[in-house]
Amino acid sequence: MKVNQLIKFQPILKDKIWGGEKLATLLNKQSTRADIGESWEISDVEGDTSIVVNGELKGQDLKQLISKFKADLVGGRIYDHFGEKFPLLIKFIDAKEALSIQLHPHDDLAKKRHNSFGKTEMWYVMQADEKANLIVGFQKEVTSKEYLEHLENKKLLHILNVDEVENGDVYFIPTGRVHAIGAGVLLAEIQQTSDITYRIYDWDRPNSDGTFRDLHTEEAIDAIDYSAQDSYKTVYSKEQNISSEIVSCPYFTTNVLPINGEVFINHEEKDSFVIYMCVAGSVEFKYEDQIENLEMGETILVPNCVKNIVILSEEKSELLEVYIK
């Protein structure tokens, strides 16, 4: 059975202790709450499965789609490898306050301890307040002993790398890399389907009821990558109406596609679904008789069996294009 439409899903909004208003005010997510930290755009995390909001498939969830359409939806190799589990989790994140300093275990460790995938991810900064920053990696290589000493003495920031960021900055976060999103940053996140996080420092910040979130000091010790890099920011180039690669790893490839005018897209060479996230402006997708508008902060899934689409924008807009090689 062929899936013959472009698919949009209902965002799953997550309130967070560090969340803010930008998902509602800038990305038009419908919420009455003032602490929405994440919008899960496409999710197959247990208990948080995305539901279709458009076309003939409206009301069906992502698990049902994979079960029904299999390789036609996700791609042959992907279906063979992941079965009826969607391999990526797609989010928009608004940090009104800093997130905890954290890291994610690699696949083998996550499988052994949690029966889960690991969590390799990337960030694309959509908006950043003045002097807003991200924590990514160590300033220089440290030992686990040095790390623990700094953690226990509340001096962890002395050895971590902190970058001020602006719109368009990209960071790749492999498993094991210590990281945190700073206050004032709105970003798009692409990651493996996993919700396993080792929280190592949470700014001594209480919950609304006075309790504190759990820390994972012991679990993190043998999951951390203690090495360092000269720079953690991803260098890439943009070309109008051309899809240019930003990040490619075994788990996902992400391209940037700045659009102004009409672009004809052909995915014949791919054996994968393709996800588009609108990170600036607004665009129109055309497939056969179907037309779907995508505003900044919206996401659409192109099934593997849909190979030719047209994307149109009457203003300078920008998409992230995500798939698996």
Side-chain angles (χ1 to χ4, degrees):
M1 187 182 298
K2 186 180 179 185
V3 50
N4 199 38
Q5 71 167 77
L6 308 177
I7 303 170
K8 296 179 79 172
F9 295 94
Q10 178 68 40
I12 301 168
L13 302 182
K14 298 284 186 177
D15 56 300
K16 299 287 184 179
I17 190 173
W18 40 261
E21 304 86 23
K22 290 179 184 175
L23 292 176
T25 58
L26 296 183
L27 303 191
N28 201 33
K29 303 297 178 185
Q30 301 303 311
S31 174
T32 56
R33 300 198 52 144
D35 60 351
I36 300 300
E38 300 183 350
S39 175
W40 290 18
E41 298 289 301
I42 302 179
S43 167
D44 192 23
V45 173
E46 200 64 42
D48 284 304
T49 304
S50 294
I51 296 174
V52 181
V53 293
N54 70 322
E56 294 181 1
L57 301 173
K58 185 174 180 178
Q60 298 186 46
D61 68 33
L62 185 54
K63 289 183 185 297
Q64 291 173 303
L65 298 188
I66 299 174
S67 179
K68 184 184 297 184
F69 298 113
K70 300 180 170 56
D72 269 354
L73 181 72
V74 298
R77 289 179 303 104
I78 294 168
Y79 186 77
D80 289 345
H81 184 71
F82 291 98
E84 296 188 359
K85 188 74 180 170
F86 195 75
L88 298 181
L89 174 56
I90 305 296
K91 301 178 181 178
F92 293 111
I93 297 178
D94 168 29
K96 185 174 184 177
E97 298 179 27
L99 275 68
S100 63
I101 300 176
Q102 58 188 243
L103 64 135
H104 310 293
H106 57 69
D107 281 350
D108 292 344
L109 198 56
K111 180 70 174 175
K112 178 182 175 183
R113 290 181 178 173
H114 313 285
N115 194 29
S116 171
F117 296 126
K119 189 174 173 184
T120 294
E121 62 189 24
M122 68 159 282
W123 296 332
Y124 180 97
V125 177
M126 296 170 64
Q127 186 273 334
D129 297 346
E130 188 175 357
K131 297 194 178 301
N133 62 56
L134 300 174
I135 294 172
V136 184
F138 292 101
Q139 295 176 23
K140 61 181 181 63
E141 186 167 348
V142 298
T143 64
S144 58
K145 183 172 181 288
E146 289 173 309
Y147 156 75
L148 283 172
E149 286 173 353
H150 282 81
L151 180 65
E152 288 162 5
N153 293 319
K154 299 191 186 301
K155 293 183 177 179
L156 194 54
L157 281 177
H158 292 191
I159 57 174
L160 295 178
N161 174 70
V162 182
D163 286 358
E164 286 190 11
V165 294
E166 58 186 20
N167 297 15
D169 283 350
V170 170
Y171 286 82
F172 178 63
I173 315 291
T175 54
R177 183 168 292 170
V178 174
H179 61 276
I181 302 171
V185 177
L186 174 70
L187 56 76
E189 180 177 273
I190 294 112
Q191 60 161 89
Q192 289 175 268
T193 292
S194 170
D195 207 25
I196 305 298
T197 294
Y198 291 163
R199 190 183 299 119
I200 57 177
Y201 184 60
D202 200 23
W203 313 103
D204 302 312
R205 172 175 52 195
N207 293 308
S208 58
D209 61 2
T211 61
F212 292 87
R213 296 196 294 175
D214 291 338
L215 299 179
H216 307 96
T217 305
E218 292 301 318
E219 296 97 323
I221 291 172
D222 59 353
I224 292 174
D225 177 0
Y226 296 100
S227 66
Q229 294 185 172
D230 292 336
S231 173
Y232 293 92
K233 186 161 74 170
T234 299
V235 177
Y236 68 98
S237 59
K238 296 180 185 179
E239 189 175 349
Q240 195 72 43
N241 294 341
I242 300 291
S243 185
S244 303
E245 188 173 284
I246 307 176
V247 166
S248 189
C249 68
Y251 306 105
F252 54 81
T253 294
T254 301
N255 302 335
V256 63
L257 176 55
I259 288 191
N260 194 354
E262 192 172 51
V263 179
F264 294 86
I265 304 288
N266 183 302
H267 290 305
E268 291 287 352
E269 82 288 354
K270 296 182 180 69
D271 182 21
S272 173
F273 59 85
V274 183
I275 294 165
Y276 288 96
M277 307 178 76
C278 186
V279 292
S282 65
V283 299
E284 184 179 84
F285 280 75
K286 296 180 181 179
Y287 167 64
E288 295 185 347
D289 295 331
Q290 184 183 5
I291 296 175
E292 295 289 349
N293 293 313
L294 210 62
E295 303 292 329
M296 179 178 172
E298 291 190 313
T299 303
I300 199 164
L301 175 68
V302 180
N304 176 56
C305 62
V306 173
K307 296 303 185 184
N308 293 283
I309 57 175
V310 177
I311 308 176
L312 175 68
S313 181
E314 296 179 354
E315 60 179 313
K316 285 189 176 180
S317 300
E318 196 159 292
L319 298 170
L320 299 183
E321 181 182 68
V322 183
Y323 57 98
I324 297 176
K325 283 186 174 177

